[in-house]
Amino acid sequence: MGKKVALNVFYNLVIFLCILVIYSAFEHGRYEYVLGCAFIAGIIITLKIRLIKEIKNTPKP
């Protein structure tokens, strides 16, 4: 269970970092970075949702 918690924290950090990069890139007009980080954030959000569903389906002792 500790690995899943660490993975969830890692996903949160990556999503936060992508949001910061998207904001900064949008301010500077670097739309290729916006597109790239939006794609990466989308993949990470999908993985995070799958992880949450997996945690919910684990039997509780």
Side-chain angles (χ1 to χ4, degrees):
M1 190 60 126
K3 290 181 185 179
K4 291 181 182 181
V5 171
L7 190 59
N8 191 25
V9 170
F10 175 72
Y11 286 162
N12 287 336
L13 289 174
V14 171
I15 292 168
F16 180 72
L17 223 133
C18 280
I19 290 171
L20 288 178
V21 171
I22 288 171
Y23 176 75
S24 176
F26 191 76
E27 289 286 320
H28 294 274
R30 301 299 304 255
Y31 299 109
E32 64 273 12
Y33 291 148
V34 172
L35 183 62
C37 277
F39 180 72
I40 292 170
I43 291 173
I44 296 298
I45 289 170
T46 304
L47 291 173
K48 182 175 172 63
I49 290 170
R50 289 176 65 193
L51 179 67
I52 290 170
K53 285 182 181 178
E54 184 181 323
I55 290 173
K56 284 184 179 180
N57 290 334
T58 55
K60 296 182 181 176

